[in-house]
C-alpha cells in the first residue's frame, strides 16, 4: 500500500455507492482525477533558443571569441552530414516572430534553454569534441547551460525592446503562451583543464557583476576551502569539467534562489531543473521550499537522467522537494514501441505505473520521446504521428522537442545533428507536413478536454496495433470521461469496448458525431489514427467507479 493510499481511501471509499445514485448532487459526488495540478493543462514545446530561428542578426556577435571563436563552428561528418557547436543566431525575436506558428501546433508552454550569461569563447580544455563523439573541448555555450552570471541575460538572446521580461509578457498577453525556463543550480561553466585559464570559464558573478567564485583552472582536488572564491565549489570531480557547486555552502543556495526568483518576477511560469540527480535531496527540498515561499504551487520538473522508476520516484516525494520529473522511462518505452512497426501495443504499459506507483503522482510527470540529450527517434512519418497520438492522450504532461513536428534529423544524437538549426525553412516545411498537421489535431483535442489533461487513466485493451483506454475527471465543478482508441497499424481497424462505458450520449471530439451508448461500442479507427469520444457527465457505470477508486489510490 502506498503512502498516498491511507490518506485518501477514507474519502474514496464511498465512491462506488455514490456513483450509482442518479440523484447525487455535485457537492456530494465522488471526485476522480489523476491530478489537479494547474500546469497539467499545458502542452510543452522545448526549443534551444539558439537553434530555433534567428530573428535579429544584430545580436549574433559573429566576431566574438578571438582565437577561440564562438559563431558557426561546424563539425563535418561522413556523407555530407554536419553538426555545429557554435552559436547560429536563434534569439528571443525568432521565438516571438513565430509564436502564432507554435500556437497553431496546439502547444501552450514554451520550454526555452537557459538564458543566463555564458562564456564568450569556445572552451579550449576538456575532451575534444567531434562529429558523433562526446566532449566539450572546442564547444561553445550556445545551449546556455554554462552559466557565469545567473542574474544576467546572455547577449545573444535579447534585442532592442525585447528583454526576457518583454518576451514572457508578450507571449502571455498576445499569444496566451507560458514560458518554462530551463535552470541550472548544480554547476557553472567548464572550470578546469584549460591550456591557459580563459576568461569567464569557472567564474561566477553576482547581481552587480561582482566576482563571487573562481575555479582558477584548478582541478577540484586542488581547490582551497579557505579561499572564498574556491568555497563555492566542491572538491571532487563530477560531470565533465564543469565547476560543481558545493551543496553544503549556504551562499550557493542564496545565490541560485535569488537568481531564479528574479526570473520568475520577470515572467517565468515554470522551471525545468537541470542535473537533478547530481545534488542531494536535501538541497532540492530547500530550493523548492524557498521558491514556493514566494510563489506557492510554482510548477517545477527536473532532469534526472535515469531510466529506473524506483530511483526517479524518490525525487517526487514531498520530503525530497516534491518535484515533478521528465519521464525518462516513458522516453525509452515510447521510442522502442513507435520505432518498431512490429511492436505490440501492450509493450507500452510498463512505464505508466498507474497503480502502486513509485512516483508521488505519475500524472504530473512530463512525458517525451526525444530531447537535446537523447538521440531523436529513428522513425518515419507514421512513427511520429503514432507517438504524438499516444503522448497527447495518455497520462502525463506532453513535451515535444523542436523539429519533432517534421521528424527533424531522425535517429541523430548530440554532435550528430540532434541540435541542428531549424530556422524559417523548418517552419515553412512544418506548415505543410503531415506530422505537424496531426500534432495540431490531437493537441487541440487535448487542449479542450479536462479528462485528457488531468483524468485518471483506466486501461481497457492493448494488443497488436490497437489500444483503448479511458480518462476520467470528476469534481464538484465538472465531470468528463474520454474514451481513447488508437491504431498504429497501416490498415483501418475496428475496436470494440464492452466494459466500463457510461450509459448515455457520447460525442466524437473531432467531428461532433453523437453516439447513444448502452453496454458496448464498436468504432472504426483509421490506420495510424486516433479517435477520442467524450462523455460530458457524471460517472454512472458502477464497475468503472469501482475501478477508479482503485486507480486513484496511487
Amino acid at each position: 500500500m502506498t503512502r498516498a493510499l491511507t490518506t485518501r481511501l477514507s474519502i474514496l471509499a464511498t465512491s462506488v455507492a455514490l456513483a450509482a445514485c442518479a440523484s447525487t448532487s455535485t457537492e456530494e459526488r465522488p471526485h476522480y482525477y489523476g491530478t489537479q495540478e494547474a500546469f497539467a493543462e499545458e502542452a510543452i514545446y522545448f526549443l534551444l533558443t539558439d537553434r530555433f530561428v534567428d530573428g535579429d542578426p544584430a545580436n549574433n556577435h559573429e566576431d566574438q571569441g578571438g582565437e577561440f571563436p564562438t559563431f558557426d563552428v561546424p563539425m563535418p561528418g561522413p556523407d555530407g552530414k554536419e553538426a555545429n557547436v557554435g552559436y547560429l543566431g536563434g534569439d528571443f525575436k525568432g521565438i516571438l516572430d513565430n509564436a502564432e506558428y507554435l500556437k497553431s501546433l496546439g502547444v501552450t508552454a514554451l520550454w526555452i534553454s537557459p538564458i543566463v550569461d555564458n562564456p564568450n569563447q569556445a572552451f579550449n580544455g576538456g575532451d575534444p569534441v567531434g562529429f558523433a563523439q562526446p566532449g566539450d573541448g572546442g564547444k561553445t555555450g550556445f545551449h546556455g547551460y554554462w552559466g557565469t552570471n545567473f542574474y544576467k541575460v546572455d547577449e545573444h538572446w535579447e534585442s532592442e525592446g525585447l528583454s526576457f521580461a518583454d518576451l514572457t509578457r508578450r507571449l502571455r498577453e498576445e499569444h496566451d503562451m507560458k514560458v518554462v525556463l530551463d535552470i541550472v543550480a548544480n554547476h557553472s561553466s567548464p572550470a578546469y583543464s584549460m591550456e591557459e585559464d580563459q576568461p569567464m570559464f569557472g567564474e561566477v558573478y553576482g547581481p552587480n557583476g561582482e566576482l563571487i567564485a573562481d575555479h582558477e583552472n584548478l582541478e577540484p582536488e586542488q581547490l582551497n576551502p579557505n579561499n572564498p572564491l574556491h568555497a563555492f565549489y566542491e572538491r571532487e570531480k563530477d560531470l565533465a569539467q564543469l565547476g560543481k557547486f558545493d551543496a553544503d555552502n549556504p551562499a550557493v543556495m542564496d545565490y541560485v534562489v535569488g537568481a531564479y526568483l528574479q526570473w520568475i518576477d520577470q515572467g517565468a511560469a515554470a522551471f525545468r531543473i537541470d542535473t537533478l540527480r547530481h545534488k542531494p535531496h536535501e538541497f532540492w527540498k530547500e530550493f523548492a521550499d524557498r521558491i514556493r515561499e514566494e510563489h506557492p504551487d510554482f510548477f517545477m520538473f527536473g532532469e534526472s537522467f535515469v531510466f529506473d522508476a524506483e530511483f526517479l520516484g524518490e525525487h517526487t516525494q514531498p520530503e525530497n522537494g516534491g518535484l515533478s520529473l521528465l519521464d525518462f522511462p516513458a522516453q525509452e518505452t515510447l521510442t522502442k514501441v513507435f520505432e518498431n512497426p512490429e511492436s505490440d501495443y501492450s509493450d507500452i504499459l510498463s512505464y505508466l505505473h498507474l497503480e502502486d506507483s513509485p512516483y508521488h503522482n505519475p500524472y504530473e510527470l512530463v512525458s517525451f520521446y526525444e530531447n537535446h540529450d537523447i538521440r531523436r527517434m529513428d522513425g518515419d512519418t507514421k512513427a511520429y504521428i503514432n507517438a504524438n497520438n499516444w503522448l497527447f492522450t495518455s497520462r502525463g504532461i506532453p513535451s515535444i522537442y523542436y523539429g519533432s513536428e517534421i521528424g527533424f534529423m531522425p535517429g541523430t544524437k548530440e554532435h550528430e545533428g540532434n541540435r541542428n538549426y531549424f530556422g524559417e525553412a523548418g517552419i515553412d516545411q512544418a506548415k505543410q507536413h503531415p506530422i505537424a498537421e496531426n500534432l495540431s489535431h490531437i493537441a487541440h483535442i487535448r487542449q479542450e478536454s479536462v479528462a485528457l489533461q488531468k483524468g485518471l487513466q483506466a486501461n481497457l485493451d492493448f494488443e497488436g496495433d490497437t489500444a483503448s483506454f479511458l480518462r476520467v475527471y470528476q469534481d464538484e465543478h465538472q465531470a468528463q470521461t474520454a474514451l481513447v482508441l488508437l491504431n498504429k497499424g497501416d490498415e483501418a481497424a475496428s475496436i470494440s469496448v464492452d466494459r466500463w462505458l457510461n450509459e448515455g450520449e457520447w460525442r466524437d471530439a473531432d467531428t461532433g458525431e453523437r453516439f447513444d451508448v448502452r453496454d458496448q461500442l464498436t468504432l472504426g479507427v483509421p490506420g495510424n489514427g486516433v479517435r477520442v469520444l467524450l462523455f460530458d457527465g457524471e460517472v454512472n457505470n458502477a464497475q468503472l467507479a469501482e475501478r477508479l477508486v482503485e486507480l486513484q489510490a496511487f
Side-chain angles (χ1 to χ4, degrees):
M1 183 178 292
T2 65
R3 65 188 74 188
L5 176 57
T6 55
T7 61
R8 302 174 76 170
L9 199 52
S10 61
I11 298 173
L12 298 169
T14 61
S15 293
V16 176
L18 288 171
C21 296
S23 62
T24 301
S25 71
T26 57
E27 290 79 12
E28 296 173 328
R29 70 186 183 192
H31 291 184
Y32 306 120
Y33 53 82
T35 178
Q36 291 188 312
E37 166 59 53
F39 204 83
E41 299 171 14
E42 312 300 333
I44 300 169
Y45 186 97
F46 169 37
L47 58 87
L48 295 173
T49 299
D50 179 74
R51 296 317 207 224
F52 189 57
V53 174
D54 184 359
D56 179 11
N59 62 17
N60 287 355
H61 300 279
E62 296 183 20
D63 297 328
Q64 188 183 73
E67 62 178 315
F68 303 107
T70 62
F71 189 81
D72 193 8
V73 185
M75 291 191 307
D79 304 321
K81 296 177 181 177
E82 187 175 281
N84 202 296
V85 292
Y87 287 87
L88 293 176
D91 47 33
F92 291 165
K93 190 172 187 300
I95 295 172
L96 190 62
D97 286 349
N98 291 283
E100 279 305 299
Y101 158 74
L102 293 165
K103 188 173 182 179
S104 75
L105 294 176
V107 297
T108 60
L110 302 183
W111 160 15
I112 66 174
S113 48
I115 62 172
V116 302
D117 199 23
N118 272 231
N120 295 338
Q121 293 183 338
F123 181 46
N124 72 21
D127 301 315
V129 70
F131 187 87
Q133 72 183 46
D136 286 338
K139 197 171 175 178
T140 68
F142 72 89
H143 44 70
Y145 294 96
W146 292 353
T148 61
N149 188 333
F150 290 44
Y151 288 81
K152 178 183 177 183
V153 176
D154 192 271
E155 65 275 10
H156 292 86
W157 313 141
E158 295 181 320
S159 300
E160 184 175 350
L162 189 58
S163 66
F164 177 69
D166 294 325
L167 175 69
T168 61
R169 176 184 54 80
R170 293 186 62 183
L171 286 171
R172 182 177 63 252
E173 294 178 358
E174 299 173 14
H175 306 283
D176 194 24
M177 301 189 79
K178 296 179 171 65
V179 171
V180 179
L181 183 60
D182 206 323
I183 69 168
V184 182
N186 175 57
H187 60 77
S188 67
S189 57
Y192 56 95
S193 77
M194 290 169 273
E195 299 168 11
E196 293 183 8
D197 195 2
Q198 296 177 266
M200 300 179 73
F201 283 92
E203 298 171 4
V204 180
Y205 293 86
N208 299 312
E210 69 278 19
L211 181 66
I212 61 174
D214 189 352
H215 218 284
E216 295 186 317
N217 200 24
L218 297 171
E219 298 279 331
E221 297 84 354
Q222 297 176 307
L223 294 174
N224 180 356
N226 297 316
N227 183 334
L229 294 179
H230 293 183
F232 226 68
Y233 290 111
E234 289 194 3
R235 288 171 291 284
E236 293 182 0
K237 290 184 175 72
D238 182 33
L239 187 63
Q241 289 78 36
L242 298 171
K244 185 177 182 181
F245 294 153
D246 186 349
D248 296 326
N249 185 344
V252 168
M253 182 63 68
D254 291 342
Y255 180 80
V256 295
V257 168
Y260 293 128
L261 285 173
Q262 170 185 287
W263 302 124
I264 295 175
D265 291 342
Q266 294 190 26
F271 287 157
R272 178 271 191 185
I273 305 174
D274 188 63
T275 52
L276 204 64
R277 69 185 178 93
H278 293 264
K279 283 279 183 287
H281 292 315
E282 295 79 11
F283 180 88
W284 296 119
K285 177 68 163 66
E286 182 178 352
F287 178 84
D289 286 350
R290 289 181 61 175
I291 294 295
R292 290 169 180 153
E293 282 175 11
E294 301 292 330
H295 301 277
D297 303 318
F298 190 79
F299 187 69
M300 294 176 272
F301 62 99
E303 174 233 15
S304 187
F305 204 144
V306 174
F307 298 93
D308 180 354
E310 294 294 334
F311 177 91
L312 292 171
E314 294 179 12
H315 295 292
T316 70
Q317 304 306 327
E319 63 270 23
N320 295 331
L323 299 169
S324 184
L325 294 170
L326 284 166
D327 193 344
F328 278 89
Q331 186 279 330
E332 182 178 48
T333 305
L334 268 59
T335 300
K336 288 179 180 177
V337 168
F338 295 115
E339 283 183 344
N340 176 17
E342 303 304 316
S343 64
D344 193 290
Y345 235 130
S346 62
D347 296 337
I348 211 166
L349 299 172
S350 61
Y351 83 87
L352 291 172
H353 298 287
L354 302 178
E355 298 180 85
D356 299 318
S357 177
Y359 305 108
H360 183 66
N361 190 330
Y363 291 87
E364 295 171 6
L365 301 181
V366 174
S367 304
F368 70 107
Y369 54 80
E370 58 186 23
N371 71 9
H372 61 318
D373 288 327
I374 292 179
R375 72 168 178 84
R376 290 183 181 265
M377 188 163 66
D378 192 11
D380 58 13
T381 293
K382 293 180 288 188
Y384 276 89
I385 287 174
N386 287 315
N388 290 335
N389 286 341
W390 170 263
L391 194 69
F392 281 79
T393 55
S394 59
R395 76 103 174 105
I397 304 170
S399 178
I400 295 293
Y401 187 37
Y402 84 96
S404 296
E405 65 267 38
I406 63 171
F408 184 59
M409 306 302 296
T412 60
K413 59 185 179 182
E414 185 188 359
H415 304 156
E416 282 185 342
N418 171 292
R419 304 182 182 186
N420 278 8
Y421 184 72
F422 196 53
E424 293 289 356
I427 290 173
D428 288 344
Q429 184 180 350
K431 290 175 180 177
Q432 309 295 326
H433 204 285
I435 298 176
E437 181 182 1
N438 187 84
L439 169 62
S440 176
H441 172 252
I442 193 60
H444 278 98
I445 287 176
R446 183 185 188 275
Q447 201 173 103
E448 299 300 320
S449 171
V450 67
L452 293 182
Q453 294 168 357
K454 301 180 179 181
L456 288 168
Q457 179 166 335
N459 290 331
L460 292 164
D461 296 309
F462 285 69
E463 185 177 3
D465 287 332
T466 63
S468 58
F469 57 90
L470 296 165
R471 299 289 304 277
V472 184
Y473 186 93
Q474 182 170 297
D475 63 15
E476 66 271 20
H477 302 296
Q478 55 189 330
Q480 185 181 73
T481 300
L483 171 64
V484 179
L485 307 176
L486 293 158
N487 175 18
K488 67 180 183 66
D490 290 337
E491 302 298 325
S494 179
I495 301 179
S496 296
V497 179
D498 59 4
R499 69 185 190 279
W500 299 349
L501 290 175
N502 294 319
E503 186 174 291
E505 185 178 80
W506 293 68
R507 61 183 172 90
D508 190 300
D510 181 28
T511 68
E513 182 180 359
R514 305 283 169 162
F515 299 86
D516 185 24
V517 176
R518 298 306 170 197
D519 299 322
Q520 60 182 11
L521 180 69
T522 300
L523 289 175
V525 183
N528 304 294
V530 56
R531 292 191 71 175
V532 177
L533 267 62
L534 298 174
F535 178 86
D536 296 306
E538 293 185 42
V539 170
N540 61 35
N541 183 293
Q543 288 73 36
L544 174 59
E546 183 176 359
R547 180 63 178 137
L548 294 173
V549 171
E550 297 170 346
L551 288 169
Q552 190 145 340
F554 47 75

